[in-house]
Amino acid sequence: MCGIIGYVGRRTDAGVLVVEGLKRLEYRGYDSWGVACKTEEGIVIRKDVGKISAVNPSDFLQPSSLAMAHTRWATHGGVTPENAHPHVSCDGKVVVVLNGIIENFEELRAELAAKGHRFVSTTDTEVIPHLIEEEMKNEGQRTEDLGQREKENAFPGPRSQVPSPSPDFAAAVRRACLRFEGRFGIVAMHADVPLLVAARTGSPLIVGVAEDGYFIASDTPAFIRSTATVQYLDDGEMVVTDGQSILFSDLRTGEEREKREIAITWSAAESQKGEYEHYMLKEIMEQKQSIARAVNQDIDQIETLARAILDAQGTFLVGCGTAAKACMAAEYFFSVIAGHHVNFAPASEFKLYHRFLKPESLLIAVSQSGETADTLEAMKIAKSKGAKVLAIVNAEGSSIAREADYTLHINAGPERAVASTKALTGQMAVLLLIAYAMIGKLPKGRTRLLETAAAINDMLNPRYTEFIETIAERIQQSSDLYIIGKGWNYPMALESAIKIQEVSYVHAEGFAGGELKHGPIALIEKGTPCIALVGNDEVRTDIVSNAIELKARGGFIIGIAPARNDVFDEWIKVPDVDTAQAIVNIIPIQILAYFLAVKRGKDPDMPRNLAKSVTVK
Ligand code: F6R
């Protein structure tokens, strides 16, 4: 939800740097963009609706050593140039970009309007620069009230090297932030001071430590071409930098915070499209390797966590969207393989489960980005009850990874397409591995998964994708599509619907096969495409019977199964991988969704109305 990048340092092409960096954050939102550069003529701002990918970085060549940029996913206020970030104060000197929501913006806006502030947008963000401006106006009076201590705490480091701003901009940002309610990350700059100031309460902000200066961004791809050394800003912290030194402090108390520099391992190359036209197809194909990487876990750690699940008084699995479907599949893994009951809830619904939680309970939070607001909220609820949290995440250094008591990384590498593909199968692989560890059969689980990875490697050949493309061609004009599954293929039917809906905009719905005759079968007409996800397991005959019921009403049956069946009008063959069947069965659907999007003229990497990282509740 919105991407932010700021740079301050010795380089004089800060405008170009932030535009290039922003292009690598576009997966976080892409309805509008904006750039602010501090130049000799003052702060120059350009913003517009549309995608940052269409903007030429060389349009921002004017000399500048301090700049910031924003790509937006609209929350408050429509998609208009006025609502695009950055937003500025009345005097045009305070400039701010935001990721998140200022929940009490209406009240602050009314208060500021009564003091004469004029607003030009309908966003919540615009109150921020105006309140900072107001705080700067009042600083003389407030400094006396708050005493010398706060002044000293505000930013002692660079103050010795840069002209001391007066009134103190960083202190004004801090005071303003203390009045905001909601989850947000902001970056601010001021026309008279060569500083970047940022604060976080909920939405991610990461500092990139480069040789020539500092970056502050929502995610590491924004600056990975300049540096792989990062410092993480935690909730309730702020940071101030002049490009030479940096000071982290507690937002509330102003107390200085020590930060470690951490080297991240994802290389810039890993997040490029390479030979593929879209990230989505590239990431689908990467499942040839990513499942084996997910399985490559520390054996002792997996065994300890398996024990923790067995010992816990109540294990709850939470996630959102596709990650939630991995959790649902895990319910079946733990039941069928380990005979152990766990509870699944979409993270956004977990609030009402708190009565079941005890200090002996365990929450398993599953997330690709590690920044999903609802999943973080579920973790907060569990922690408030003293329960422990295990995170299964992809993004290194993400909030969920850092806030959990135990973290397992799925090692899928950066996932840039909005539609999650390789992260899902990596999450399921790790959960399946844990299920085997729960019955003391971790080596068997590893072998099963490595064999599955090898089978996927063989399956994902050009002939296979071309065949699925022909099916996409055949059904691309259909307005509705239904997917059925049973057992662990039931959550995959739900996931299939998400994948098809979000990239192709075809109406797709997933059902438990047995539920059809209780209502949904009324929707089937002659020629309606219906996909049956079938395994070679104890429920195979049931789901085949459900497919026969659909065919009897005119359904055009596409079977995704290890073995052909007469009921299938089209058969997409998948390897027979026993307990890992859900992992392979979803892959042809990912390919089908991709080709449906492309054939219908949609951009599968950036579907409308969506963003990759959902940092608002
Ligand atoms: C769909 C999709 C979303 C995410 C969901 C959770 O393809 O990607 O449904 O799965 O927003 O995101 P993470 O996994 O980052 O917590």
Side-chain angles (χ1 to χ4, degrees), residues 67-68 79 98 142 149 178 209 241 252 261 327 338 422 438 443 472 475 491 499 506 515 544:
M68 62 191 198
V79 180
L98 166 92
R142 284 182 191 258
R149 190 178 147 272
L178 293 179
V209 185
T241 175
R252 194 153 290 283
E261 287 187 0
C327 297
K422 62 178 177 170
M438 285 163 71
I475 63 173
K499 215 75 327 162
V506 172
E515 283 293 295
V544 167

Side-chain angles (χ1 to χ4, degrees), residues 320-323 366-370 372 375 418-420 427 495 498-499 502 612 614:
C320 295
T322 293
V366 181
S367 173
Q368 188 288 127
S369 64
T372 302
T375 310
V418 163
S420 189
Q427 290 157 357
E495 165 60 11
I498 298 188
K499 215 75 327 162
E502 71 179 327
K612 180 78 179 152
V614 185

